[in-house]
Amino acid sequence: MVEIGQHGFDVEEWSVGSEGLDIEHLAHEESVFGLSNGHVGWRGNLDEGDPRGVAGSYLNGVFEEHPMPYAEEGYGYPEHGQSVINVANGQLIRLLVGDEAFDVRRGTLDSHSRRLDLRSGTLQRDVGWTSPVGTRVRVRSTRIVSFAHRSVAAVRYVVEAIDATEVTIVSELLANEPLPITHEDPRVQELLTEPWETVHSAAQGTAATLVHRTRKSGLTVAVSMDHHVTHSGPATPEVETDVDPAGDRARTTVHVALEAGERIEVVKLVGHEWSSTLSTATLRDRAETAVSDTFRGGWEAIADEQRLRLDEFWECADVRIDGPRRLQQAVRFALFQVFQASVRMELRSVPGKGLTGSGYEGHTFWDFEAFVLPVLTSTLPHAAEQALRWRHSVLDHARDRATQLHLRGAALPWRTIDGREASGYWPASTAAFHINADVAGAVLHYVRATGDDDFEREAGVELLTESARLWMSLGRWDARGGFHLDGVTGPDEYSAIANDNAFTNLSAQLNLRGAAAAARRHSEVAAALSVTADEIAGWDDAAEAMTVPFDAERGVHPQSAGYTDLEIWDFEATSPDQYLLQNHFPYFDLYRKQVVKQADIVLALWFAHEAFTPEQKSRAFSYYEALTVRDSSLSAAAQAVIAAEVGHLDLALDYLAEVATLDLDDLHGNTGEGLHVAALAGVWNVITAGFGGMRDGEAGLRFRPRLPAQVQGLEFGVRIHGCILRIEIAPTSTTYRLASGEPVTITHFDEEVVLEPGHPVTLDTPPLEPPGPRPTQPRGRAPRPAAEAFGSN
């Protein structure tokens, strides 16, 4: 008997499936069942395209530019916004049974199931349908967005006649499908409603190609489709392809008479290419060639290659849990989503929603480097490298932005698609300079984990240098020799324009030290960037003198200078329906009170872990638990990591339960806009940094593993310099297994251990000191209990 989760999905360890069809929640299922490879993204829309929640066919980096409207303009405000748009949709396959259009809302839906297979990388659908006139058919489809062929998505569509009938299959490409975006500025609304102009269209045989160009951003996209048709009966299918005069729709129509028990199968391949510089002919040829080359191996080869790529990923990345089955499913679902969001992005980043929806307008934020890149660096390092090289490739935009802000170096964008700042609310964007340190931290972690000297020399040194220069021009020295960063915004968006935000200052300190070390290692590269010995010494001095505020009276680090002296938000007077606070209270009120939207100082306890004593971590965690309302999906993972570190393992599991079921159970009510990719990456972070106690630093990897009572065993893997290290945690001991390569030195609690390939080492877990009373959260803001999220299994 299949167990059903709380939002209707089956509880299986290697898949997420649903039986029946809930039309009211289609948008949620479309996000969960979306497929991507980091270049192409298809939402999990029904094959026939209707009914639907939100149509979605995306290419990473494709957007339309539009004016940025302001009530009052100011110097340095970004002039243009950016919004993701649908490209020509190749998912569509419509079906006529006799004269009746197959529609799940008409006739009788005898059965309907969909399943996202986390090992094969496919979305499978199986439908039994009786038409309004009583004709029965079975429809099965399998959808793939290829991990092996970057530009290609594919559908295998099979119709079996239960009763003799004629069937017509209409496979389409459709451009200018609108996104559910409404904007009060008619200029913006007009651009986003119909963003594409036709450049070229053609049809021949079973194939068609559409080429369009955006009206403002100047991006050209070519989408091509072709088909292979097979039939189990003696009749010869009739096949015809045409393009409408406007060039927004292409159709391949297949018509055949089926006797009872006969089947017709259509394999459809769709190629996608885009560029801001390549010619129409080049893009068309690339899209068509991608399809024709992939077709040579047939469907089985496409499916086998998909499985092979996932097998390679799971070899290291799989997390095995001896505990609740739903937790096991949720962890694998989260890892699969991070993988498919990034495996073929190639010189791009991962948007906040990946390619599963148009939420956040398709923008990339700081949380990619903070939460997602650690997962990729440890499990899929080539994808991490590509993302960091993308940051390097758009560095000139960041230099221009710094110049506009009268700063040196580069001011990386808080919100962007193409590398230019695209946020119109400057207190939460322009002032959130910590994005520079988040990227720098990702560079340092990647180089330590991989030993990739080429990347450091070709891109890393420059990223670190330009960020270090920003901090030097942004900071100030006081009369006592302290270095300060004033007027900045940290990760917590309920605080803004603060002095000496602890997270920002500590992250900048790591950036400055890392930049100095990298410049010394690569002196020729540094010289080419005009870095002098005096400049490097200045970075060291500023890092050493960095101000980190501490409230001696309360014994905790303030989130920023003076923060703990502010009035505490009246949580008792705040009703449950007033969350999210930002939707019910003015920002000026939030900014002048102690109330935390998302982990800020708690994030610093994790990212800058060497800057705090165990006692300081424990006190800070308890203090900020009472202030944190978690109006952001980014908070629970960080709180879980530190809860585990300070010994509150059951609380950590509750936070893991919340973040692990955030999208599967649509806890925030907005998963229909796309999955929360950074939160999904946070699931892995809780497993490894929380219960594994894994920390990265100049001294190498350190582990302090401990399990909550509900979990009897936990195993995960990380890549170190190309080798796979598996960590197997039991309640009283941990085993470390290095698969191959050179010996690796790690630290288990306070014991340094040299691991040899092929020689597992098992070490005891020391007793846990009582952590004290469980910290409390604001009224009504405790995390989701694990028992509620995972059930009793």
Side-chain angles (χ1 to χ4, degrees):
M1 181 176 179
V2 176
E3 181 185 354
I4 305 299
Q6 296 183 25
H7 213 280
F9 294 116
D10 300 345
V11 179
E12 299 285 353
E13 291 188 356
W14 281 103
S15 67
V16 177
S18 66
E19 299 291 332
L21 189 64
D22 185 350
I23 292 178
E24 290 186 2
H25 293 94
L26 271 180
H28 176 213
E29 287 199 1
E30 288 165 356
S31 296
V32 170
F33 289 147
L35 295 177
S36 168
N37 63 11
H39 172 66
V40 180
W42 278 5
R43 277 177 66 81
N45 303 119
L46 301 180
D47 299 290
E48 55 274 16
D50 198 42
R52 68 187 181 197
V54 180
S57 184
Y58 314 112
L59 290 181
N60 195 347
V62 171
F63 68 97
E64 181 57 304
E65 186 175 284
H66 55 76
M68 185 77 82
Y70 297 100
E72 285 189 40
E73 293 191 6
Y75 177 81
Y77 287 12
E79 297 179 3
H80 302 286
Q82 302 171 351
S83 294
V84 66
I85 50 177
N86 278 325
V87 301
N89 185 0
Q91 301 181 53
L92 298 171
I93 300 180
R94 308 186 197 273
L95 172 66
L96 282 80
V97 178
D99 294 327
E100 300 287 342
F102 167 49
D103 189 322
V104 295
R105 298 164 298 187
R106 301 178 65 246
T108 303
L109 194 62
D110 302 311
S111 62
H112 191 283
S113 67
R114 291 199 287 174
R115 185 162 303 280
L116 177 66
D117 191 310
L118 307 178
R119 285 185 291 191
S120 66
T122 60
L123 176 63
Q124 302 157 11
R125 185 187 186 201
D126 195 334
V127 186
W129 185 70
T130 303
S131 76
V133 297
T135 305
R136 295 171 299 162
V137 295
R138 182 182 183 187
V139 180
R140 284 168 290 171
S141 68
T142 303
R143 186 182 294 176
I144 288 175
V145 174
S146 176
F147 303 144
H149 304 275
R150 181 174 185 256
S151 301
V152 174
V155 183
R156 186 183 193 181
Y157 192 85
V158 181
V159 180
E160 179 182 354
I162 309 301
D163 303 309
T165 185
E166 292 187 351
V167 300
T168 304
I169 298 171
V170 183
S171 173
E172 295 189 2
L173 291 179
L174 178 61
N176 275 317
E177 281 189 298
L179 289 170
I181 297 173
T182 57
H183 202 285
E184 61 186 18
D185 188 319
R187 300 170 301 167
V188 178
Q189 185 63 41
E190 181 182 1
L191 281 170
L192 298 183
T193 299
E194 193 168 333
W196 295 106
E197 296 177 329
T198 301
V199 176
H200 170 83
S201 61
Q204 184 176 6
T206 57
T209 301
L210 302 180
V211 184
H212 289 80
R213 183 174 294 121
T214 55
R215 300 177 189 276
K216 290 294 183 182
S217 59
L219 305 181
T220 304
V221 172
V223 182
S224 179
M225 68 174 179
D226 202 354
H227 306 81
H228 182 68
V229 180
T230 56
H231 174 223
S232 65
T236 301
E238 301 172 9
V239 182
E240 181 182 4
T241 303
D242 65 273
V243 178
D244 74 345
D248 278 353
R249 186 191 300 265
R251 296 184 184 90
T252 293
T253 304
V254 181
H255 180 82
V256 70
L258 297 179
E259 296 298 326
E262 290 182 353
R263 304 186 315 161
I264 184 166
E265 175 182 294
V266 175
V267 174
K268 175 182 185 179
L269 265 63
V270 186
H272 308 75
E273 292 287 347
W274 75 269
S275 176
S276 60
T277 58
L278 295 178
S279 68
T280 297
T282 298
L283 289 174
R284 179 196 65 211
D285 290 347
R286 287 188 175 185
E288 292 173 352
T289 299
V291 170
S292 61
D293 286 351
T294 307
F295 247 136
R296 291 194 183 106
W299 175 264
E300 296 303 327
I302 297 169
D304 289 347
E305 290 170 328
Q306 192 81 343
R307 177 65 179 256
L308 178 62
R309 291 298 178 95
L310 270 172
D311 286 347
E312 293 170 349
F313 173 69
W314 289 123
E315 180 187 7
C316 173
D318 188 27
V319 172
R320 299 163 194 163
I321 298 170
D322 183 2
R325 290 180 69 240
R326 193 159 192 249
L327 174 59
Q328 178 69 83
Q329 178 194 48
V331 171
R332 285 183 173 140
F333 172 76
L335 278 164
F336 176 82
Q337 293 297 342
V338 172
F339 172 79
Q340 73 163 4
S342 48
V343 61
R344 298 305 303 270
M345 60 185 170
E346 296 172 19
L347 278 183
R348 297 299 315 169
S349 187
V350 173
K353 297 291 187 181
L355 298 178
T356 65
S358 59
Y360 305 137
E361 298 179 279
H363 292 169
T364 292
F365 296 82
W366 69 276
D367 49 70
F368 171 73
E369 280 81 13
F371 291 89
V372 183
L373 263 183
V375 187
L376 298 181
T377 294
S378 293
T379 63
L380 198 68
H382 74 85
E385 179 197 3
Q386 287 297 305
L388 290 171
R389 285 190 182 274
W390 173 74
R391 283 289 188 187
H392 182 255
S393 74
V394 297
L395 201 53
D396 281 345
H397 288 314
R399 288 191 183 97
D400 291 343
R401 180 66 171 154
T403 299
Q404 184 182 36
L405 298 175
H406 302 167
L407 297 169
R408 294 187 66 226
L412 297 173
W414 181 77
R415 178 176 184 144
T416 189
I417 295 178
D418 72 345
R420 293 174 293 166
E421 181 60 68
S423 171
Y425 186 61
W426 66 270
S429 56
T430 297
F433 290 104
H434 67 85
I435 174 62
N436 273 52
D438 301 324
V439 173
V443 169
L444 296 172
H445 178 214
Y446 172 79
V447 172
R448 284 195 297 265
T450 63
D452 190 342
D453 187 72
D454 289 342
F455 165 80
E456 185 176 43
R457 184 177 60 257
E458 295 164 4
V461 174
E462 190 169 9
L463 283 166
L464 293 168
T465 293
E466 295 295 48
S467 288
R469 286 170 169 166
L470 178 93
W471 299 122
M472 298 302 293
S473 63
L474 186 67
R476 68 171 175 87
W477 295 88
D478 65 25
R480 296 172 299 280
F483 191 76
H484 302 264
L485 297 172
D486 295 332
V488 301
T489 298
D492 172 33
E493 294 164 16
Y494 286 168
S495 302
I497 320 302
N499 296 337
D500 289 328
N501 170 257
F503 176 89
T504 302
N505 285 24
L506 286 166
S507 300
Q509 183 182 61
L510 293 173
N511 183 170
L512 289 162
R513 288 174 175 162
R520 291 188 177 104
R521 281 193 299 272
H522 301 279
S523 57
E524 292 183 2
V525 177
L529 297 170
S530 301
V531 177
T532 66
D534 286 346
E535 186 174 19
I536 295 172
W539 298 342
D540 284 331
D541 291 344
E544 186 65 26
M546 186 69 70
T547 299
V548 181
F550 184 74
D551 183 341
E553 179 182 346
R554 297 174 179 86
V556 297
H557 287 80
Q559 185 168 286
S560 55
Y563 185 81
T564 48
D565 292 328
L566 299 177
E567 181 183 349
I568 294 176
W569 186 267
D570 190 347
F571 297 107
E572 293 302 314
T574 306
S575 62
D577 60 2
Q578 288 181 301
Y579 293 95
L580 307 170
L581 295 180
Q582 66 198 46
N583 294 340
H584 299 277
F585 298 92
Y587 271 112
F588 84 86
D589 199 12
L590 296 168
Y591 287 167
R592 62 196 183 95
K593 304 284 180 61
Q594 288 190 69
V595 56
V596 181
K597 178 179 180 179
Q598 64 206 59
D600 193 305
I601 191 72
V602 170
L603 198 60
L605 300 178
W606 172 17
F607 286 13
H609 55 93
E610 294 172 319
F612 304 90
T613 67
E615 294 76 17
Q616 288 172 341
K617 290 178 182 179
S618 182
R619 290 180 65 87
F621 180 70
S622 293
Y623 185 89
Y624 287 97
E625 276 292 281
L627 303 176
T628 303
V629 297
R630 253 174 19 272
D631 280 356
S632 165
S633 63
L634 299 177
S635 196
Q639 289 173 272
V641 168
I642 301 304
E645 180 175 1
V646 301
H648 294 289
L649 298 171
D650 290 343
L651 177 58
L653 186 65
D654 286 349
Y655 277 124
L656 174 59
E658 180 169 293
V659 70
T661 60
L662 174 69
D663 284 322
L664 288 173
D665 287 353
D666 197 13
L667 297 184
H668 286 191
N670 60 5
T671 298
E673 299 173 6
L675 302 178
H676 299 79
V677 176
L680 290 167
V683 173
W684 184 88
N685 287 316
V686 176
I687 295 292
T688 59
F691 298 128
M694 185 173 76
R695 297 291 185 273
D696 168 67
E698 290 296 336
L701 281 179
R702 304 179 62 182
F703 297 89
R704 302 179 71 87
R706 295 190 187 278
L707 297 178
Q710 300 91 326
V711 176
Q712 295 304 303
L714 178 64
E715 180 185 343
F716 63 90
V718 294
R719 291 188 183 272
I720 304 175
H721 288 227
C723 303
I724 297 175
L725 171 64
R726 299 291 302 180
I727 298 94
E728 303 167 17
I729 308 171
T732 60
S733 64
T734 298
T735 299
Y736 299 91
R737 299 179 187 272
L738 185 64
S740 62
E742 298 296 319
V744 171
T745 300
I746 64 163
T747 301
H748 173 82
F749 288 91
D750 297 320
E751 180 182 355
E752 191 173 275
V753 181
V754 178
L755 302 177
E756 300 278 353
H759 297 279
V761 175
T762 300
L763 301 167
D764 292 337
T765 301
L768 175 65
E769 295 292 330
R774 174 170 165 145
T776 58
Q777 297 75 37
R779 182 172 70 97
R781 306 308 287 173
R784 186 182 197 188
E788 173 189 309
F790 302 140
S792 58
N793 64 333

